Amino acid sequence: MMTAAERRSGDVILKLENISLAFGGVKALSDITFDVREHEVRAIIGPNGAGKSSMLNVINGVYHPQQGTITFHGKVRHGMNPHDAAAHGIARTFQNIALFKGMTVLDNIMTGRNLKMKASFVEQAIWIGRARREELEQRAKVEEIIDFLEIQHIRKTPVGRLPYGLQKRVELARALAAEPSMLLLDEPMAGMSVEEKQDMCRFVLDVNEQYGTTIVLIEHDMGVVMDISDRVVVLDYGRKIADGRPDEVRGDQAVIDAYLGVAH
Ligand SMILES: Nc1ncnc2c1ncn2[C@@H]1O[C@H](COP(=O)(O)OP(=O)(O)OP(=O)(O)O)[C@@H](O)[C@H]1O
Ligand SMILES: [Mg+2]
């Protein structure tokens, strides 16, 4: 298990430099620079509309910034789309849960394995041996994740019937099914009860510690951010206003002003 100090001194694996993104006249991100180190828990915080979700969408190629450079594992990424990002080991969850509500928990998690499926559809049809073996391997991995996140009891339940907190956990499970090296979590604890939040915090930290997964997480609950993140970047109106250890940013005057809604 890694200590916080070791995590904070990991190699830089993702570098975002001078990123600017606008939607028409709306500047969602203005000249943002920060990096992510291997194995760390990196939080992105800021008031509503600050540009946090846009930043995650830039990292996994949903949005293409008009300016700036993204370097992942030492290579500059141009025009990466979400599929490329996933193929490079980046998985994510969404601010609004994006699951197939009518499908069971198990089937939803299986969709997270799509990229890992080697046998093509044609092969699956004509070369049963390989497809069958692969199916068994996929199942084993999915069952491991189900055990890890303690959702055995709901594996056959349609997702739409689950309480919100559990749906969030299933979404995490689906992201983990891709065996990502980097996990982007957009408000994984939003709308949860205190107890559900505690569970989710524990699972996020367990993922980080046991699989070594680098975590980039957006979260509004400052207590959670202070507890689980190694470093925090703070956005406000599309600009970066602070970046550092949780205790550093918490005391930062610009951050306090942003959260109190002081005019700039
Ligand atoms: N697809 C889009 N089209 C137009 N404007 C957008 C789009 N996505 C984001 N924006 C705008 O960019 C700005 C930043 O939005 P973003 O969703 O990134 O903020 P956020 O920090 O995630 O906010 P919240 O805490 O409410 O989730 C907002 O003004 C938003 O309206
Ligand atoms: Mg958002």
Side-chain angles (χ1 to χ4, degrees):
M1 205 179 282
M2 300 184 95
T3 65
E6 281 169 338
R7 290 201 302 265
R8 281 196 291 263
S9 60
D11 292 338
V12 169
I13 52 166
L14 175 67
K15 228 162 47 172
L16 297 135
E17 293 171 285
N18 309 105
I19 300 290
S20 292
L21 172 75
F23 299 100
V26 179
K27 285 187 177 171
L29 299 169
S30 302
D31 201 24
I32 307 257
T33 297
F34 71 97
D35 60 31
V36 177
R37 294 180 179 279
E38 190 160 32
H39 306 307
E40 79 173 330
V41 179
R42 183 70 148 131
I44 302 177
I45 68 169
N48 292 115
K52 305 179 298 295
S53 294
S54 297
M55 197 68 242
L56 285 199
N57 282 327
V58 164
I59 294 174
N60 86 319
V62 175
Y63 295 158
H64 295 256
Q66 282 89 7
Q67 274 162 42
T69 313
I70 303 164
T71 312
F72 188 55
H73 285 295
K75 286 207 185 93
V76 175
R77 307 286 170 187
H78 290 293
M80 192 165 67
N81 62 39
H83 187 270
D84 299 330
H88 284 105
I90 302 178
R92 74 173 292 182
T93 65
F94 295 85
Q95 192 164 348
N96 301 310
I97 298 170
L99 293 169
F100 300 102
K101 306 272 175 177
M103 276 165 49
T104 65
V105 166
L106 184 62
D107 288 342
N108 267 281
I109 299 171
M110 285 297 279
T111 66
R113 296 284 309 163
N114 283 347
L115 268 172
K116 299 279 171 190
M117 296 279 209
K118 287 188 212 76
S120 70
F121 286 115
V122 176
E123 274 180 316
Q124 284 184 27
I126 60 171
W127 191 14
I128 305 299
R130 175 169 167 179
R132 171 62 59 83
R133 191 166 1 99
E134 205 169 84
E135 168 86 15
L136 291 175
E137 282 169 19
Q138 304 293 344
R139 289 269 163 178
K141 185 65 202 175
V142 166
E143 293 300 337
E144 179 194 321
I145 291 162
I146 285 174
D147 284 348
F148 187 78
L149 293 181
E150 298 169 14
I151 47 180
Q152 303 89 336
H153 58 298
I154 53 165
R155 50 207 290 294
K156 297 285 185 191
T157 309
V159 162
R161 290 215 208 121
L162 296 172
Y164 182 78
L166 272 179
Q167 292 192 18
K168 291 286 236 192
R169 207 189 298 176
V170 173
E171 208 191 9
L172 175 63
R174 185 183 55 186
L176 285 181
E179 298 179 71
S181 61
M182 180 178 284
L183 192 51
L184 313 178
L185 304 174
D186 197 341
E187 303 200 19
M189 293 142 210
M192 286 189 172
S193 68
V194 172
E195 199 177 295
E196 286 172 332
K197 273 188 194 179
Q198 282 169 352
D199 283 348
M200 195 53 139
C201 277
R202 180 167 58 86
F203 287 124
V204 170
L205 286 177
D206 283 353
V207 168
N208 174 253
E209 280 166 2
Q210 294 201 31
Y211 296 110
T213 314
T214 306
I215 312 260
V216 181
L217 130 134
I218 298 174
E219 183 50 49
H220 277 293
D221 186 319
M222 286 298 242
V224 168
V225 171
M226 296 298 144
D227 276 355
I228 74 172
S229 49
D230 296 301
R231 292 190 301 160
V232 185
V233 53
V234 189
L235 305 183
D236 188 28
Y237 291 106
R239 296 190 173 276
K240 184 173 100 168
I241 58 168
D243 190 351
R245 289 198 318 268
D247 55 310
E248 289 169 341
V249 302
R250 183 170 45 182
D252 188 292
Q253 193 58 45
V255 177
I256 294 165
D257 289 351
Y259 274 92
L260 294 176
V262 173
H264 342 227

